[in-house]
Amino acid sequence: MFVLITYDVNTETPAGKKRLRMVAKQCVNYAQRVQNSVFECHADAAKMREIEERLIKIIDPEHDSLRFYYLGNKYETKVKHIGAKPSFDVNNPLVI
């Protein structure tokens, strides 16, 4: 399934800046960054539970937030991109 992961981490403290780096690092491990705090991910339900659990352990729910938008498998008609930084389909072969 196709999932959009977004986050907002309060960076007013050194601990918040550390959480931001940790959340971003975990997202990069599983998804493609499309904007600063927005990632596109292709994963099954079990992998998404794993990703969610990892991210929930990092954030401070009193100050930070996570959002997961489950767009499913027929997401092509639900995503429209305009402007710089076009994404690529991670399911297609990557030719270098």
Side-chain angles (χ1 to χ4, degrees):
M1 82 180 94
F2 185 71
V3 181
L4 197 65
I5 303 170
T6 68
Y7 57 84
D8 187 21
V9 177
N10 184 318
T11 59
E12 293 176 353
T13 65
K17 291 176 184 175
K18 182 178 180 181
R19 289 193 312 273
L20 176 66
R21 288 190 302 274
M22 292 172 66
V23 168
K25 189 173 185 178
Q26 283 301 312
C27 287
V28 167
N29 288 337
Y30 297 102
Q32 171 184 301
R33 176 176 267 159
V34 292
Q35 291 185 352
N36 287 336
S37 298
V38 181
F39 289 79
E40 293 177 346
C41 180
H42 288 269
D44 60 22
K47 181 56 79 175
M48 284 309 305
R49 279 192 301 276
E50 177 186 331
I51 295 168
E52 285 181 25
E53 288 173 12
R54 286 178 183 257
L55 294 174
I56 289 168
K57 287 179 183 177
I58 296 170
I59 69 160
D60 177 351
E62 295 291 320
H63 300 101
D64 311 329
S65 67
L66 294 168
R67 286 182 176 253
F68 299 89
Y69 297 90
Y70 291 88
L71 300 177
N73 292 323
K74 300 194 184 278
Y75 62 90
E76 291 88 357
T77 61
K78 299 175 186 173
V79 177
K80 182 176 182 178
H81 176 262
I82 299 169
K85 297 183 184 179
S87 61
F88 60 90
D89 187 348
V90 294
N91 291 321
N92 288 336
L94 181 62
V95 179
I96 300 176

